[in-house]
């Protein structure tokens, strides 16, 4: 009987020890950490109401996001607008949205944490037609092709993405490679906004060819014609009375000249010249000439090749950047120095229903040693004020 009693006495201890051993080796019953859901707040504009906007005009959203588990990304309509390493738990930032549709537009903002939890918010916009966005100039480069136009003119034709009313893809090329163009460059004042950068190539770094004293011809081919009614609204020229005719619309472009990149060349060096450039007044600032016309190749005598000599244009405009290191909105006027190339007086010009190309000439004839960057964005047609 004693033996039997001892066995029953030891059995609970054996069972307890058995449980301790197996519980120590299996922590599956430990509670998983529970994280709060991520949050997303839009502080500006007031997204609790319908947000009114204008086609092609930037709407800046101020966002605050949090994620206790760690931030993964913030998306707009399914595409990332900001990503994180997972170590950040909060962030405040702005995002620029340029509407290209008219009417009611829904924007789905989403914040996701590293645990794949998502919180979303839908903002509703009412977009009115107000401007015709030709080129936002902030798109990514996709392909390139080298072309030989003449023995002195070798250039690379770059294809890049476009947000605009005309097209979603365009090309850009520089006659005789007189400058360099860079795509999706951070806005000097807002790294989340992308713009196009242009830098002149000084002196003989291009196979012995100089940049003609600062005359880089930058040609954009839209591949699609701008509607005639938009072009007809732009300023034209009265040849009889030698004056500009305003037709209800304006051609605008945002430009930023950074004079801090080259320590040996600043704004004063740019506008202080020994010989005044032809057709420009440096005392007014940095002249930007812009021509619109029809694109063509070496044998077409259109803006793609012959355009820098006058062929293929409809009208040539100009404006001045009057200060460095700030965004300036250029409103273009008819350049009377080139009226001999205008439609309909010039036999090789083109009419307003053929416009599918733009040529920009930054500070033509100014100091050729200028290697500071010029940033451009949002070439557009708007109703004149």
């Amino acid at each position: 009987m004693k033996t039997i009693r001892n066995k029953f006495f030891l059995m609970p201890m054996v069972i307890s020890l058995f449980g301790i051993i197996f519980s120590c080796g299996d922590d599956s019953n430990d509670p998983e950490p529970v994280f709060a859901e991520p949050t997303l707040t839009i502080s500006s504009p007031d997204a609790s109401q319908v947000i009114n906007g204008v086609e092609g005009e930037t709407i800046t959203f101020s966002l605050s996001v949090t994620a206790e588990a760690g931030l993964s990304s913030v998306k707009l309509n399914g595409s990332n607008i900001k990503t994180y390493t997972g170590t950040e738990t909060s962030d405040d930032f702005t995002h620029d949205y340029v509407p290209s549709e008219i009417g009611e537009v829904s924007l789905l903002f989403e914040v996701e944490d590293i645990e794949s939890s998502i919180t979303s918010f839908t903002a509703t916009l009412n977009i009115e037609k107000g401007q015709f966005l030709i080129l936002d100039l902030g798109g990514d480069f996709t392909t390139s092709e080298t072309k030989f136009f003449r023995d002195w003119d070798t250039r690379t034709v770059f294809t890049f993405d476009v947000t605009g009313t005309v097209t979603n893809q365009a090309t850009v090329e520089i006659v005789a490679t007189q400058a360099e163009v860079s795509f999706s460059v951070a806005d000097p004042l807002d790294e989340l906004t992308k713009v196009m950068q242009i830098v002149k190539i000084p002196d003989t770094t291009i196979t012995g060819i100089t940049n003609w004293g600062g005359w880089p011809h930058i040609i954009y081919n839209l591949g699609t014609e701008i509607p005639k009614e938009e072009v007809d609204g732009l300023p034209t020229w009265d040849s009889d009375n030698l004056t500009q005719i305003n037709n209800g619309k304006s051609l605008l472009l945002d430009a930023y000249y950074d004079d801090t990149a080259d320590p040996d060349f600043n704004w004063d060096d740019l506008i202080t010249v020994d010989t005044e450039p032809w057709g420009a007044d440096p005392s007014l600032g940095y002249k930007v000439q812009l021509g619109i016309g029809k694109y063509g190749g070496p044998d077409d005598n259109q803006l793609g090749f012959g355009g820098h000599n006058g062929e293929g244009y409809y009208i040539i405009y100009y404006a001045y950047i009057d200060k460095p290191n700030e965004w300036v909105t250029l409103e273009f006027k008819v350049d009377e120095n080139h009226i001999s190339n205008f439609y309909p007086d010039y036999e090789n010009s083109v009419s307003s229903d053929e416009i599918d190309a733009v040529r920009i000439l930054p500070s033509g004839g100014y100091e050729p040693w200028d290697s500071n960057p010029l940033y451009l964005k949002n070439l557009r047609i708007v109703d004149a004020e």
Side-chain angles (χ1 to χ4, degrees), residues 266-280:
N266 60 26
W267 179 259
D268 290 335
D269 297 320
L270 175 72
I271 63 175
T272 303
V273 295
D274 295 329
T275 303
E276 184 172 292
W278 181 85

Side-chain angles (χ1 to χ4, degrees), residues 300-317:
D300 299 328
N301 282 332
Q302 302 294 359
L303 197 142
F305 171 72
H308 59 277
N309 290 326
E311 297 90 345
Y313 284 108
Y314 170 64
I315 289 180
I316 298 172
Y317 299 97

Side-chain angles (χ1 to χ4, degrees), residues 55-56 99-100 129 131-135 162-168 227:
E55 176 195 19
S100 58
K129 182 174 177 57
Q131 69 177 18
F132 188 94
L133 185 60
I134 300 173
L135 293 168
V162 173
T163 296
T165 315
V166 187
T167 181
N168 58 13

Side-chain angles (χ1 to χ4, degrees), residues 27-222:
D27 59 1
S28 60
N29 293 324
D30 290 349
E32 294 290 333
V34 177
F35 298 103
E37 293 292 313
T39 67
L40 185 153
T41 304
I42 298 175
S43 58
S44 176
D46 183 2
S48 66
Q49 308 290 327
V50 174
I51 301 168
N52 293 316
V54 178
E55 176 195 19
E57 293 186 6
T58 300
I59 300 173
T60 300
F61 288 90
S62 297
L63 299 103
S64 297
V65 293
T66 67
E68 186 181 12
L71 288 163
S72 174
S73 66
V74 179
K75 293 181 172 66
L76 174 57
N77 290 345
S79 297
N80 288 334
I81 58 175
K82 197 162 186 184
T83 57
Y84 303 89
T85 63
T87 59
E88 305 93 332
T89 58
S90 65
D91 189 22
D92 298 317
F93 65 97
T94 60
H95 177 73
D96 287 342
Y97 174 75
V98 181
S100 58
E101 303 174 55
I102 300 171
E104 184 174 300
V105 176
S106 294
L107 300 183
L108 177 63
F109 291 91
E110 297 174 291
V111 57
E112 182 175 3
D113 66 16
I114 59 173
E115 296 293 316
S116 299
S117 294
I118 297 174
T119 297
S120 63
F121 180 85
T122 300
T124 301
L125 281 55
N126 178 40
I127 305 301
E128 299 178 353
K129 182 174 177 57
Q131 69 177 18
F132 188 94
L133 185 60
I134 300 173
L135 293 168
D136 67 316
L137 295 171
D140 293 323
F141 150 77
T142 55
T143 61
S144 65
E145 178 185 2
T146 299
K147 289 191 175 182
F148 302 92
F149 277 65
R150 291 290 187 272
D151 56 353
W152 53 268
D153 183 2
T154 301
R155 62 182 89 162
T156 301
V157 180
F158 298 96
T159 301
F160 65 102
D161 294 331
V162 173
T163 296
T165 315
V166 187
T167 181
N168 58 13
Q169 200 170 73
T171 66
V172 60
E173 60 203 71
I174 301 171
V175 174
T177 317
Q178 302 289 294
E180 291 181 343
V181 60
S182 299
F183 303 88
S184 291
V185 177
D187 181 325
L189 300 183
D190 178 8
E191 64 179 12
L192 296 179
T193 300
K194 302 303 179 184
V195 298
M196 182 169 284
Q197 175 185 281
I198 295 167
V199 179
K200 290 184 179 181
I201 297 177
D203 200 30
T204 56
T205 56
I206 353 156
T207 61
I209 302 174
T210 68
N211 69 0
W212 303 331
W215 291 88
H217 299 258
I218 303 165
I219 298 175
Y220 299 87
N221 175 20
L222 306 176

Side-chain angles (χ1 to χ4, degrees), residues 278-346:
W278 181 85
D281 181 358
S283 69
L284 299 176
Y286 182 118
K287 183 177 181 180
V288 178
Q289 191 188 90
L290 188 152
I292 58 175
K294 181 176 177 60
Y295 183 82
D299 302 318
D300 299 328
N301 282 332
Q302 302 294 359
L303 197 142
F305 171 72
H308 59 277
N309 290 326
E311 297 90 345
Y313 284 108
Y314 170 64
I315 289 180
I316 298 172
Y317 299 97
Y318 78 95
Y320 282 91
I321 302 172
D322 59 0
K323 52 194 169 187
N325 309 320
E326 291 184 32
W327 280 107
V328 176
T329 297
L330 305 179
E331 181 172 2
F332 289 93
K333 302 177 181 179
V334 174
D335 194 335
E336 56 189 284
N337 294 294
H338 293 272
I339 56 176
S340 60
N341 301 133
F342 292 172
Y343 177 85
D345 297 328
Y346 180 46

